[in-house]
Amino acid sequence: MSSLVEYQCPNCGGAIRFDAAAQSFRCDSCGNVYTEAQLAGYDEAIKNAEKASHYDWHSDGAEEELEGMKKYSCESCGAEIIADDTTAASECPYCGNPIMMTGNLTGMSRPSRIIPFKLTQKQAMESLRSFCKGKKLLPKGFLSENRVKEIKGLYVPFWLFDCDANASIVYDATRVRTWSDSKYNYTETSHYDIYRSGSIGFADIPVDGSKKMDDTYMDGIEPFNYAEMREFNPAFLSGFVADKYDVSAEECFNRAEERVRKSTEDSFASTVNGYSTVIPKSTSIRTNNSSYKYAMMPVWMLNTKYRDKLYTFAVNGQTGRVSGTLPVDRTKFWLWFGGIAAAIIAVAQIFIF
Amino acid sequence: MKKIFSFAAAMILVLVMFVSVHAVDDPPFFDSYDDVYLYRNDNDDVSESATEQYGADYDFSAPDSKGAYVVDWADLLTDEQEASLLKKIDELRSKYAIDVVIHTTNSIGNKSVRDYADDFYDYNGYGVGPDHDGLMFMLNMNNGEEGNRDYYTTTTGRAIEVLTDYAVYDSDSYINSRVLPYLADGEYYEAFEKYLDLIDVFFEQAETGEPFDVGNTYKTSGSYVSHELIAVGIAVIVAFLVTNSMKNSMKTNRKKTEASNYVKPGSMYISESFDRFSYRNVSRVAKPESSSSGGGGGSSSHSSSSGSSHGGGGGKF
């Protein structure tokens, strides 16, 4: 063994010296002792984990053009909507204003997948009603006075991202033990270096490809049931309008990567058990087999009016999940707040006296 | 900003509610005089026989014409103050069937303050019943020598059990420590008043069978207030958490930052892993010293020159 090999202490970063007598490596600054095997393994782990995270996506769909579609634009909000030849679109699904056909659609690639509408308009409104049920802070008259101004079935363009993530993560974990004798309380903190390397696969992470559509609304109606996803067929569009994608797949990579990263970190961290604290020290995530496809998802858009204020809800046209913000009755809120606080204080009197 | 104001308003609302709740419950210890008094009247063994046997027939050799239960030789009190203290003492005597004496003097001769107090009590024949139940609180002004003046409580019979070392043993004891500030300021009347009030509180507690002691300390209204504040704090936090979660359920259009729904089932595979011990730190903290004044509580007592058993305590001021 050459004594010229230089290692950094995994714990404190100080220089490690080979202790010939003990046949082991010793850190002068923190006093830790390592075997050669330990150091070598650790070095490699760190190198893996320090590689820059890397994502690489490519499309798996044939870049065919969608044909036989008409294009409509809304002069009021600027939305661009498409509908097939048989469907006469007259109102903008986003703002409710009249829209105009501006000609045949050209240059738009054909979606590769579609989830057809499953909920009827009536069922969508029923979903909203049951969403309001049991909401204790909802103003009393909201359900009865709320008028649905507009309800439109709309196919929203989504990019669905697939990938396998390969991750190498180093954690710093501690275990704490306490005990005491007649004079002192002792706290022992044991530090561990933890390494996890492996892979995890993701399928069809949806990111909506419409600028007009608020991302939070589309995140809110997730998930869709992909078992019912079909090959795209323009026939499904008849009777509904569709939004034209105006956010490219490339622009959606960041959203997808953010979600892949978070879930990969969560899943890997869940394999580190039995410690009091676990802190990731370095994380490297690389994806491969990455691909995306273009799909249309069914969404009911509801514009409702309650006391001169507009409320917009999106209802998942397949599962009925509702996304939106209900008004909060301030009086009810503070009554609940005061009531709960008063009840707790009243109960506390029993213990205080 | 609006939110913060609303929150503050709610806090005030809750506080007002707390005050009104408290107004009903307070005061914690002066509210049952009547009950006790009635109980006493019904109980022939204790109060009536006590009054019959001892109430009117004391042979006072104390040379004080104003009333034998306030013997103010050092002349620290006005006549009105003495009358007012006497009234309090009479209440205590009838309520608890004990004697309560306040005594001031300018000199105690060569005796220790303890012996002086015990003898003064014994030889003047204070005390109710065969065990001479009662107590005396005395001040020795030592001819005005500051810092060398004595205060002392002597207890006999039942009062030994009621006024434990926790109450009157030394300057840290509960009653003494409450009275001392007045004494130091020369507010003798206020000191005696406070003393008698606390005697009332301690005897009242003793009626429950669990006199105040180190294991059963007297909770001041201060500690009630801090408990109430903790209760209010917890109430506000819990109410906020609950209402906030109700409010959160009103909004479902939220950004998603994870993709746990889209993990391919069974696709997670850990190819390499280690959990390697690195180093350990041991820190130790000295345990807090356990209080030395014997956790058991109770009263220390001794025999006076006349052979009767006395408890109590006092100190300098």
Side-chain angles (χ1 to χ4, degrees), chain B residues 110-124:
Chain B
N110 291 328
K111 285 180 177 174
S112 71
V113 68
R114 188 181 94 179
D115 292 344
Y116 177 92
D118 293 352
D119 290 348
F120 188 90
Y121 187 91
D122 289 346
Y123 292 120
N124 285 309

Side-chain angles (χ1 to χ4, degrees), chain A residues 11 32 38 42 131 135-138 164 180-206 216-217 219-220 222-223 226 255 258-259 262-263 267-268 271 275 322-328 330 333-334 336-338 340-342 344-345 348-349 352-353, chain B residues 2-3 6-8 10-11 13-14 17-18 21-22 25-26 28 219 223-224 227-228 231-232 234-244 246-247 249-265 267-288:
Chain A
N11 170 41
N32 276 345
Q38 270 179 346
Y42 194 87
F131 173 64
K135 297 281 187 284
K136 296 187 175 62
L137 301 181
L138 196 67
D164 292 331
S180 54
D181 60 18
S182 57
K183 275 189 174 168
Y184 295 98
N185 293 320
Y186 296 85
T187 307
E188 178 196 82
T189 311
S190 303
H191 292 253
Y192 294 81
D193 298 315
I194 295 178
Y195 179 65
R196 293 287 183 274
S197 175
S199 64
I200 182 168
F202 294 88
D204 298 326
I205 301 167
T216 62
Y217 275 86
D219 287 359
E222 280 181 27
Y226 291 130
R255 273 309 308 281
E258 177 193 347
R259 294 179 69 170
K262 180 81 168 56
S263 276
S267 303
F268 274 60
T271 69
Y275 298 94
V322 177
S323 172
T325 305
L326 292 167
V328 172
R330 302 189 72 81
F333 180 86
W334 290 116
W336 274 98
F337 186 95
I340 293 165
I344 292 168
I345 290 168
Q349 303 309 310
I352 293 173
F353 291 104
Chain B
K2 212 168 161 190
K3 258 187 187 168
S6 322
F7 191 75
M11 294 278 288
L13 180 81
V14 169
M17 283 190 297
F18 141 67
V21 166
H22 213 221
D25 290 344
D26 237 1
K219 292 176 185 67
S223 69
Y224 284 113
H227 284 145
E228 287 292 356
V232 169
I234 291 169
V236 166
I237 290 166
V238 172
F240 181 75
L241 289 178
V242 172
T243 47
N244 214 48
M246 286 161 101
K247 204 172 162 185
S249 76
M250 305 296 275
K251 184 179 164 94
T252 52
N253 52 328
R254 292 178 193 284
K255 191 177 167 178
K256 280 209 167 69
T257 57
E258 42 73 40
S260 54
N261 277 325
Y262 307 99
V263 173
K264 284 190 224 160
S267 70
M268 171 132 166
Y269 169 66
I270 299 284
S271 56
E272 208 187 321
S273 77
F274 61 72
D275 291 33
R276 185 174 294 154
F277 171 72
S278 167
Y279 65 102
R280 71 168 46 107
N281 269 336
V282 179
S283 66
R284 61 176 197 183
V285 179
K287 280 183 169 174

Side-chain angles (χ1 to χ4, degrees), chain B residues 75-77 81 139 141 146 149 179-192 317:
Chain B
D75 205 17
L76 304 174
L77 302 165
Q81 289 174 336
L139 302 180
M141 301 309 286
E146 201 152 325
R149 299 170 299 190
V179 171
L180 261 174
Y182 295 106
L183 294 177
D185 290 350
E187 294 171 346
Y188 301 108
Y189 173 69
E190 286 77 7
F192 293 135
F317 71 100

Side-chain angles (χ1 to χ4, degrees), chain B residues 70-107:
Chain B
V70 179
V71 187
D72 184 21
W73 289 353
D75 205 17
L76 304 174
L77 302 165
T78 67
D79 287 356
E80 293 78 34
Q81 289 174 336
E82 283 185 27
S84 154
L85 291 177
L86 259 179
K87 198 170 156 245
K88 270 206 161 119
I89 288 173
D90 281 341
E91 274 170 22
L92 293 173
R93 287 176 59 225
S94 61
K95 196 167 154 190
Y96 302 116
I98 50 162
D99 270 349
V100 178
V101 185
I102 284 174
H103 174 43
T104 69
T105 180
N106 270 317
S107 162

